[in-house]
Amino acid sequence: MELQRAASVLATALVLTSILAGRVQSVGVCYGVHGDRLPKPAEVVQLYKSNGITAIGLYEPDVQTLLALNGSNIGVLIDMADANVPRLASGAAQADLWVQLNIKRYYPGVSFRYIAVGNELAGAATQSILPAIKNLNAALAKAGIKVSTAVKMDVLATSSPPSSAVFKDDYMKQIVALLGATGAPLLVNVAEI
Ligand SMILES: *[C@@H]1O[C@H](CO)[C@@H](O)[C@H](O)[C@H]1NC(C)=O
């Protein structure tokens, strides 16, 4: 693996953190597929393995990357294009179709852990998060994959210490209540390198 390529993965890395019951933990390193000169998916999987990285975040369900992850045991956090969120919120059939195409096709060979519904959505789009999570939970049935959403630190009115975090908006309170009921962590983007 060329050093330059390894460096380009790190350059696109986004550290994702989850807050679950006041505990903060890092869940992995994100891999984007749209940067310049990114290494190929199979090389990325090898890079993660050789560095002992056990979880990967994908900004979208990229076919080549998912095929490369097949059988790797690397835990996958998968995001979706934000534009898909209202559609997934609109009904069970849409969520079933998304799960069929993007999850079931690769499961259980790919170790999906979390699905993030939207990445830092703002404004009216935030209203779609809760129904989309519910529809995806129903579509996933008992596959053991947790559905959550990724937010920026600024959804918190108070963020320190984590156990006393307070959410600014009501939609976040409802989402966090649902995540608590399903045992899914809230995903928080804490730093872009
Ligand atoms: C994943 O690997 C297994 C075992 O090699 C194989 O049977 C399966 O078809 C692969 N899945 C995909 C989606 O290619």
Side-chain angles (χ1 to χ4, degrees), residues 32-164:
V33 290
H34 292 308
D36 285 341
R37 303 156 56 118
L38 284 171
K40 293 194 165 55
E43 294 172 332
V44 172
V45 170
Q46 203 47 52
L47 180 69
Y48 274 55
K49 281 184 180 167
S50 57
N51 285 284
I53 300 173
T54 56
I56 187 170
L58 303 179
Y59 294 107
E60 61 190 296
D62 176 65
V63 175
Q64 294 310 320
T65 308
L66 289 168
L67 290 175
L69 285 164
N70 190 20
S72 71
N73 283 327
I74 295 175
V76 177
L77 181 158
I78 196 160
D79 210 329
M80 62 190 64
D82 288 347
N84 282 328
V85 178
R87 193 162 52 81
L88 294 177
S90 73
Q94 295 291 341
D96 281 344
L97 184 63
W98 191 90
V99 167
Q100 193 63 46
L101 291 176
N102 298 296
I103 305 293
K104 290 194 174 156
R105 227 173 121 188
Y106 309 99
Y107 184 84
V110 174
S111 305
F112 293 105
R113 298 271 164 72
Y114 305 111
I115 297 172
V117 172
N119 190 18
E120 302 183 355
L121 289 180
T126 58
Q127 300 306 315
S128 295
I129 300 172
L130 190 71
I133 293 176
K134 287 182 178 170
N135 286 338
L136 284 171
N137 278 335
L140 288 161
K142 294 183 176 59
I145 302 163
K146 305 288 188 193
V147 186
S148 184
T149 186
V151 297
K152 283 201 276 201
M153 275 310 270
D154 73 3
V155 299
L156 300 173
T158 316
S159 58
S160 183
S163 56
S164 67

Side-chain angles (χ1 to χ4, degrees), residues 7-8 17 19 29-30 45 59 62 78 83 100 108 120 122 144 147 150 159 165 169 173 175 181 192-193:
S8 82
T17 306
I19 299 179
V29 177
C30 287
V45 170
Y59 294 107
D62 176 65
I78 196 160
Q100 193 63 46
E120 302 183 355
V147 186
S159 58
D169 296 307
K173 291 174 192 160
I175 288 168
E192 272 179 77
I193 310 170

